[in-house]
Amino acid sequence: MDYEPSEKIIDRYHVIRKLSCGDYSTVWLCWDLQAMRYVAIKIFKSAPHFDKTIRLGPIPRYILLNATYAAKSFTRSCELRNISGLKPWGLMDVLLEKYEWLQKDAASFASFLKPMLELDPNKRATAAECLQHPWLR
């Protein structure tokens, strides 16, 4: 999905330019019209890859209901349209089971990452807040 400079995403983000593009997503530099700051927005190109986002927690209803293209991938009740039977796999579980991290290391790293992965942009950590996290010291 391509946007043009000056186009808006969810009537909140003013597109400045494309930062990067991959097989399954595109990252856009945007101006957040509510927070009055620059943000990077990652847009997934296909529904099968929403599973990675859903695993972080449910997407807030107000985001889905205001998203321009949400109807293609989500039902009115905010369920994925083309994917069923997703099993949540939390960040701690991924670090412990898939990557075999030690509990202490996984907990510390997860506490650093989770605020950045918050789906609600109003609750997401800022770069300045992240730089103060003990994991970086």
Side-chain angles (χ1 to χ4, degrees), residues 25-45:
S25 64
T26 303
V27 178
W28 299 91
L29 174 64
C30 298
W31 178 254
D32 185 329
L33 297 167
Q34 288 180 6
M36 302 302 288
R37 64 180 179 175
Y38 288 101
V39 295
I41 302 290
K42 186 173 191 175
I43 305 291
F44 291 96
K45 294 180 182 177

Side-chain angles (χ1 to χ4, degrees), residues 70-125:
K72 291 181 180 179
S73 299
F74 293 90
T75 65
R76 291 187 70 112
S77 60
C78 299
E79 299 293 324
L80 283 167
R81 189 173 295 285
N82 301 313
I83 300 174
S84 60
L86 266 183
K87 294 186 174 117
W89 197 20
L91 179 58
M92 278 294 291
D93 294 328
V94 171
L95 294 173
L96 294 171
E97 296 169 22
K98 182 174 182 177
Y99 296 106
E100 299 179 354
W101 283 32
L102 297 174
Q103 174 76 29
K104 181 182 125 208
D105 295 337
S108 177
F109 187 60
S111 74
F112 171 65
L113 279 184
K114 284 190 95 163
M116 289 185 273
L117 300 174
E118 175 61 52
L119 292 170
D120 184 337
N122 297 315
K123 296 177 183 175
R124 194 172 302 139

Side-chain angles (χ1 to χ4, degrees), residues 11-29:
D11 291 329
R12 176 175 176 168
Y13 303 101
H14 177 87
V15 175
I16 306 299
R17 69 182 180 94
K18 186 185 295 187
L19 292 176
S20 67
C21 182
D23 291 335
Y24 306 113
S25 64
T26 303
V27 178
W28 299 91
L29 174 64

